[in-house]
Amino acid sequence: MEASAYKVVLSGLDELSPRDLYAMLKLRVDVFVVEQKCAYPELDGKDVDALHLRILSGKDLVASARIRKPANRDPAARIGRVVVSPGHRGKRLGDRIMVEAISQCERLYPESPIKLSAQSHLSRFYASFGFVVVSEEYLEDDIPHVDMQRPAAVTSE
């Protein structure tokens, strides 16, 4: 399927229809809980204030990511819950969702660096988008992770 056949949508939680929310949560649970065999609290309270980036093929959700704004205690924007539907892998949708997520973070929070918590085996993938490892490896839900950061698009003077 051509890249032009995909639609990118950025929404707050209240803008998602019940069906859209269900599809997003189902995809995340199918991949992170079932496929990766990782019991963790998917409903972590962070979706409420986040922006949800979705890639659609027709009406079908094929990839998504969560964007969180900088907080008082941490001036970085955050990208998380990056997921591609198993039936749509191999189509470079991981690249597409990351390019879109970074673009949105830079548009909305240009003076903020961008952080993410990466499964360690994906650190090279995220490094290809300018992220660098900024922590030692640690276990999160029994999966090795590292924290990664990308510099702000605009530096304040």
Side-chain angles (χ1 to χ4, degrees), residues 56-119:
L56 305 172
S57 175
K59 292 184 178 182
D60 296 330
L61 177 66
V62 296
S64 71
R66 176 168 77 182
I67 297 172
R68 293 176 33 225
K69 65 183 174 184
N72 290 337
R73 60 175 170 36
D74 185 355
R78 292 193 167 269
I79 298 173
R81 299 292 202 265
V82 178
V83 63
V84 173
S85 171
H88 291 271
R89 292 184 185 150
K91 299 176 183 179
R92 307 204 54 99
L93 290 172
D95 291 348
R96 177 89 183 265
I97 197 80
M98 283 305 299
V99 166
E100 296 286 348
I102 291 165
S103 175
Q104 291 297 331
C105 286
E106 290 180 341
R107 179 181 69 83
L108 295 166
Y109 319 112
E111 294 184 5
S112 296
I114 305 169
K115 287 185 178 179
L116 54 81
S117 175
Q119 292 183 6

Side-chain angles (χ1 to χ4, degrees), residues 120-131:
S120 295
H121 73 279
L122 294 172
S123 61
R124 270 196 239 152
F125 169 74
Y126 292 115
S128 72
F129 299 98
F131 287 88

